[in-house]
Amino acid sequence: MWPLVISFMVCLAPSYQQFPRLCATREALRTKECCPAWEGDGSPCGASSGRGFCQDVEVSNQPDGPQYPFSGLDDRERWPLVFYNRTCQCAGNFMGFNCADCKFGYFGVNCNERRESLRRNIFHLSRAERIKLVSYLNLAKQTVSRDYVVVTGTYQEMENGSNPMFTDVSVYDLFVWMHYYVSRDALLGGPGNVWTDVDFAHWAPAFLPWHRVYLLQWEHEIRKLSGDTSFTIPYWDWRDAQGCDVCTDELMGERNPQDPSLLSPGSVFSSWRVLCSRAQDYSDRGVLCDAREEGPLRRNPGNHNRSVVQRLPTSAEVEFTLSLTNYDTGAMDRSANMSFRNTLEGFGDPQTGLGNSSRMSMHAALHVFMNGSMSSVQGSANDPIFLLHHAFVDSIYEEWLRRHRPSPSQYPRANAPIGHNSEYNMVPFLPLHRNIEFFISSKDLGYEYSYLLDANQRLAESIRPYLEELQAVWPWLLLAGLCGGIVSVSIATAVLTVKRRYRGSPWLHGRRWKNLFALPERQPLIWSSDTEESNDRNYQTNI
């Protein structure tokens, strides 16, 4: 059944994400305008229907930190002005590169249905939900994005847009490429000439808001691809875990018995091929990832460098991290002390809060522990465990927001590393999102985490998969009960019929009938008449 459904959806399902195909043309790059028409009325950005308008892009002029001392060398600076200075600005609850979609948390044709989704512990999913998760992941991996392409060259290499350099990728690989592109080294010109101390989504304040949007967009794409608007990303609660307990063939794939760095042939993920995973090679050649396949997905959990990561994070370390009251501090990079963001990201010590820790912890510890595709920042999204991991990281971020209720002013407006100031447009998202817009509760964005529910709701949620399993099998149990009842009635009817027919027969009351079912007595059940009288007396007394 699942293969048929997946094949059908592959043919029909669209994908919406970064670098719209309609904006990857010579004309769009020359005019620097990305305002595609909404199919509903044929007008740019659905302007005729009031969904949005084509407007000039506004970027922040607040100063960045000193970590990136260049200007005008990288396409991600002042995003997205190198490529486009006019894009769709959507109105109301509309969203998308052409305002065709709904904002997070809104549904319906007119985006006026408010709904809260629930992200669940992956081990609380029913068997059917686990199958669906793996099927959707594989569907996204095998489906070429119909509406989006990725860039394979710099704007300069494209001769300022006159020679577009884009290529097709699958829906899943679109997000792999996005994570690569936002975290890649800055190309300063020529082989080996790169700046490594730059990352538009890591090592600074935007780490948590950026990944929040990333997961929301990914979730959004799976819903559109599958038609399943109730789908949510599950999370893996790795606190106190002794190993990779999601690494089973039913879930993310077991270890290959012939090669521990590969996945078991029993897992669908063993056939996956990665891309954008050779960061050092791209830097040595001074080029961008061209989105070609680069070999199998790799993972070898636990066989990592113990001097970098000792073990998976503990509940006590998570609690200490949550106790830190400041979102970010100091230079707002990996050196930040007593910074919630830096400690959760894994560069602050989860026992002291001091930055530039000699060992990685929390979020970073998981990546190192996986010891394969996940251990490279730029290529880590190739492993589907990335999604489960970051969903749990996001849940810790959410718990911190609820516990401390920070004012918007806690998020830095200026002097954060490039890409991380509050008003900076997140790289490489189109539609545009600003960092400060996601320094808010997940409930304002239309989703919740099951372990953050109140006690009664958590209890109901924990037994939900068992009730669903029971609901799935109850027709068979009912059928079995009916069959058993029919058999019992048939036997009883046959016995009564025999009794009526042979009621007067001496054969029915004779020794032959009694001896027919008699078994030889191997050992007396009653030893003596005294014992019999005693037992009878006790039995009566007990009554």
Side-chain angles (χ1 to χ4, degrees), residues 50-155:
R51 297 178 77 95
F53 304 93
C54 189
Q55 295 182 352
D56 292 344
V57 173
E58 295 182 3
V59 298
S60 171
N61 290 315
Q62 293 295 323
D64 300 315
Q67 295 86 353
Y68 178 77
F70 307 101
S71 177
L73 290 179
D74 194 289
D75 291 345
R76 299 167 296 181
E77 296 175 29
R78 295 166 61 82
W79 181 262
L81 292 187
V82 168
F83 295 100
Y84 313 107
N85 55 29
R86 285 176 64 80
T87 63
C88 288
Q89 306 295 308
C90 303
N93 297 329
F94 301 112
M95 187 183 74
F97 67 86
N98 60 351
C99 301
D101 297 333
C102 299
K103 280 186 177 179
F104 303 123
Y106 289 90
F107 298 82
V109 175
N110 296 314
C111 300
N112 55 5
E113 299 175 19
R114 179 72 173 170
R115 191 189 312 163
E116 186 176 277
S117 304
L118 186 66
R119 291 182 182 172
R120 298 182 170 94
N121 187 320
I122 191 168
F123 294 111
H124 294 168
L125 300 183
S126 65
R127 184 173 180 275
E129 288 171 331
R130 296 184 187 190
I131 292 173
K132 184 166 63 174
L133 170 66
V134 174
S135 298
Y136 286 175
L137 285 165
N138 200 45
L139 172 63
K141 184 72 171 179
Q142 307 304 327
T143 306
V144 173
S145 174
R146 191 175 73 181
D147 292 322
Y148 277 88
V149 290
V150 299
V151 67
T152 58
T154 64
Y155 193 71

Side-chain angles (χ1 to χ4, degrees), residues 339-357:
S339 158
F340 166 72
R341 187 276 314 163
N342 195 38
T343 307
L344 178 55
E345 192 169 358
F347 303 107
D349 190 307
Q351 297 177 7
T352 66
L354 299 180
N356 280 333
S357 175

Side-chain angles (χ1 to χ4, degrees), residues 273-531:
R273 294 296 178 265
V274 302
L275 68 153
C276 299
S277 65
R278 299 173 180 171
Q280 189 59 51
D281 176 55
Y282 312 140
S283 294
D284 291 344
R285 293 190 289 132
V287 299
L288 294 181
C289 161
D290 60 10
R292 295 181 186 177
E293 291 184 352
E294 297 175 341
L297 178 63
R298 293 190 174 274
R299 189 193 303 149
N300 194 356
N303 293 320
H304 59 286
N305 187 342
R306 299 281 172 164
S307 65
V308 177
V309 169
Q310 286 184 301
R311 49 169 169 67
L312 293 177
T314 65
S315 297
E317 290 170 339
V318 171
E319 183 55 37
F320 174 85
T321 302
L322 284 166
S323 73
L324 297 172
T325 58
N326 293 315
Y327 181 72
D328 224 334
T329 61
M332 296 172 282
D333 56 16
R334 284 171 285 187
S335 69
N337 294 323
M338 308 306 289
S339 158
F340 166 72
R341 187 276 314 163
N342 195 38
T343 307
L344 178 55
E345 192 169 358
F347 303 107
D349 190 307
Q351 297 177 7
T352 66
L354 299 180
N356 280 333
S357 175
S358 60
R359 287 184 170 143
M360 294 185 189
S361 61
M362 301 299 286
H363 152 263
L366 261 291
H367 284 278
V368 174
F369 177 86
M370 287 302 159
N371 193 29
S373 301
M374 271 274 279
S375 59
S376 160
V377 175
Q378 296 179 20
S380 57
N382 278 292
D383 192 330
I385 287 179
F386 178 97
L387 297 165
L388 311 181
H389 169 42
H390 272 275
F392 190 61
V393 171
D394 184 72
S395 77
I396 298 173
Y397 173 40
E398 178 60 24
E399 190 169 1
W400 184 87
L401 288 170
R402 296 186 192 181
R403 183 180 297 190
H404 299 283
R405 299 184 181 278
S407 69
S409 62
Q410 264 228 43
Y411 193 96
R413 183 175 176 79
N415 299 315
I418 188 170
H420 294 262
N421 286 340
S422 63
E423 302 300 320
Y424 207 97
N425 292 320
M426 294 180 177
V427 178
F429 290 104
L430 284 174
L432 300 176
H433 302 293
R434 296 180 302 154
N435 293 321
I436 191 63
E437 293 169 355
F438 295 87
F439 191 62
I440 59 176
S441 173
S442 68
K443 296 179 78 65
D444 295 325
L445 298 167
Y447 71 101
E448 170 68 290
Y449 286 96
S450 60
Y451 82 97
L452 297 180
L453 296 169
D454 63 42
N456 290 334
Q457 290 175 310
R458 285 201 307 272
L459 177 61
E461 181 57 30
S462 65
I463 65 175
R464 180 192 58 83
Y466 303 105
L467 294 177
E468 289 186 2
E469 296 285 355
L470 182 61
Q471 187 177 15
V473 302
W474 79 263
W476 299 103
L477 295 175
L478 180 60
L479 180 62
L482 288 173
C483 291
I486 292 171
V487 170
S488 299
V489 170
S490 300
I491 292 174
T493 302
V495 170
L496 290 173
T497 301
V498 169
K499 282 188 174 182
R500 290 193 191 99
R501 181 172 298 179
Y502 297 103
R503 182 174 296 165
S505 172
W507 182 85
L508 185 64
H509 301 283
R511 288 183 178 271
R512 283 185 301 171
W513 174 261
K514 293 180 181 179
N515 291 338
L516 184 62
F517 298 103
L519 294 175
E521 186 177 65
R522 297 177 182 270
Q523 181 175 330
L525 297 179
I526 300 175
W527 294 99
S528 66
S529 58
D530 293 339
T531 304

